[in-house]
């Protein structure tokens, strides 16, 4: 989902600054709500772990440049289920920032674009979750079909944003359309893999299920109530 350098350039980059500001504000809002509900220490700990996982996904796991962007397995749905919306959004933003600052400086000018893609997609996933999974259902009890729907929403939102940035930056020329199609086709294949990873992690939660709340995990993981 790292948009290639030069796909969006010049004055068109201003839009990415605006969208990045919007998603940063939304993240600050859900972070504040999370602090009021779970405390600052819990948010910080979960955010640190999420940041480490996101960074590992970007730098350690295989990633391939295809078309206008790169194909990554980001494990966004996994992070969302285990840590919750606010820590995951923070982890995505900081994990991407660390990579851009220290390991892929050529991606730094596109940070606003890439962070918008990730965070906006995460907020879309959060809204979709309210319809996919009942509020009374613990995340550990989610079915494969529900996981597949979540993965479709998450990956689909990322693909949609990347396609938007590419078309916004380069127009509807034949070559650009072909590059967008190549990326979208390759990235959507991740949909078939991510639900199995999520279910494997949730299965381990069932094995070590503890009814007590844990500051390292989202309360909805086991429907734990303080």
């Amino acid at each position: 989902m790292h948009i290639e350098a030069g796909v969006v350039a010049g004055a068109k980059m201003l839009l990415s600054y605006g969208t990045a500001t919007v998603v940063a504000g939304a993240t600050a809002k859900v972070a504040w709500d999370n602090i009021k509900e779970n405390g600052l220490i819990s948010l910080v700990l979960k955010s640190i772990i999420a940041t480490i996982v996101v960074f590992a996904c970007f730098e350690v796991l295989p990633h391939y440049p295809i078309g206008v962007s790169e194909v990554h397995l980001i494990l966004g749905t996994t992070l969302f289920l285990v840590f919750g919306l606010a820590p995951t959004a923070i982890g995505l933003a900081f994990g991407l920032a660390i990579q851009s600052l220290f390991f892929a400086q050529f991606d730094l000018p596109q940070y606003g674009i890439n962070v918008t893609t990730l965070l906006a997609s995460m907020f879309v996933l959060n809204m979709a979750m309210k319809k996919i999974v009942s509020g009374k259902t613990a995340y550990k009890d989610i079915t494969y079909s529900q996981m597949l729907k979540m993965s479709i929403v998450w990956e689909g939102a990322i693909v949609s944003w990347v396609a938007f940035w590419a078309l916004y930056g380069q127009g509807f020329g034949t070559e650009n359309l072909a590059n967008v199609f190549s990326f979208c086709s390759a990235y959507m294949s991740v949909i078939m893999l991510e639900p199995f990873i999520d279910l494997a992690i949730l299965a381990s939660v069932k094995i070590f299920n503890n009814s007590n709340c844990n500051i390292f995990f989202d309360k909805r993981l086991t429907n734990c109530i303080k």
Side-chain angles (χ1 to χ4, degrees):
M1 46 59 59
H2 287 74
I3 203 79
E4 292 295 323
V7 171
V8 181
K12 289 186 176 181
M13 290 292 288
L14 292 175
L15 177 62
S16 69
Y17 305 151
T19 57
T21 300
V22 171
V23 295
T27 300
K29 172 62 168 60
V30 296
W32 177 246
D33 292 342
N34 190 281
I35 290 172
K36 290 190 291 184
E37 181 179 356
N38 303 305
L40 178 61
I41 294 177
S42 177
L43 176 65
V44 170
L45 290 174
K46 288 183 287 189
S47 298
I48 289 174
I49 299 172
T51 298
I52 293 171
V53 174
V54 169
F55 175 76
C57 288
F58 285 149
E59 281 297 314
V60 179
L61 295 183
H63 49 279
Y64 306 98
I66 298 178
V68 295
S69 188
E70 294 181 351
V71 174
H72 288 272
L73 181 63
I74 307 174
L75 301 180
T77 51
T78 305
L79 293 170
F80 178 87
L81 293 171
V82 174
F83 301 117
L85 175 61
T88 299
I90 293 171
L92 289 170
F94 277 90
L96 180 64
I98 292 171
Q99 187 211 29
S100 299
L101 285 169
F102 301 105
F103 296 89
Q105 286 85 357
F106 54 85
D107 276 332
L108 194 55
Q110 290 78 240
Y111 181 79
I113 292 174
N114 295 327
V115 79
T116 296
T117 297
L118 287 174
L119 297 188
S121 298
M122 183 54 57
F123 284 113
V124 169
L125 175 62
N126 181 60
M127 290 187 292
M129 275 293 296
K130 297 173 183 178
K131 295 186 177 295
I132 296 173
V133 181
S134 166
K136 297 180 180 180
T137 301
Y139 288 156
K140 67 181 180 64
D141 296 322
I142 288 177
T143 65
Y144 176 80
S145 63
Q146 290 172 318
M147 283 303 325
L148 182 59
K149 291 176 183 177
M150 288 178 59
S151 184
I152 290 174
V153 170
W154 166 244
E155 308 295 351
I158 288 178
V159 165
S160 298
W161 270 103
V162 170
F164 165 76
W165 290 117
L167 296 174
Y168 168 71
Q170 297 295 312
F172 292 83
T174 303
E175 182 179 356
N176 191 46
L177 288 174
N179 288 333
V180 170
F181 180 77
S182 297
F183 168 78
C184 293
S185 299
Y187 206 97
M188 292 304 282
S189 64
V190 177
I191 286 177
M192 304 308 296
L193 176 61
E194 195 164 30
F196 289 106
I197 298 174
D198 292 331
L199 288 174
I201 292 174
L202 295 178
S204 66
V205 172
K206 291 182 180 180
I207 294 174
F208 299 103
N209 184 23
N210 189 329
S211 59
N212 295 323
C213 291
N214 192 314
I215 63 172
F216 291 101
F217 306 112
D218 187 76
K219 290 189 289 187
R220 275 292 302 276
L221 189 60
T222 59
N223 261 1
C224 177
I225 301 175
K226 286 186 177 181

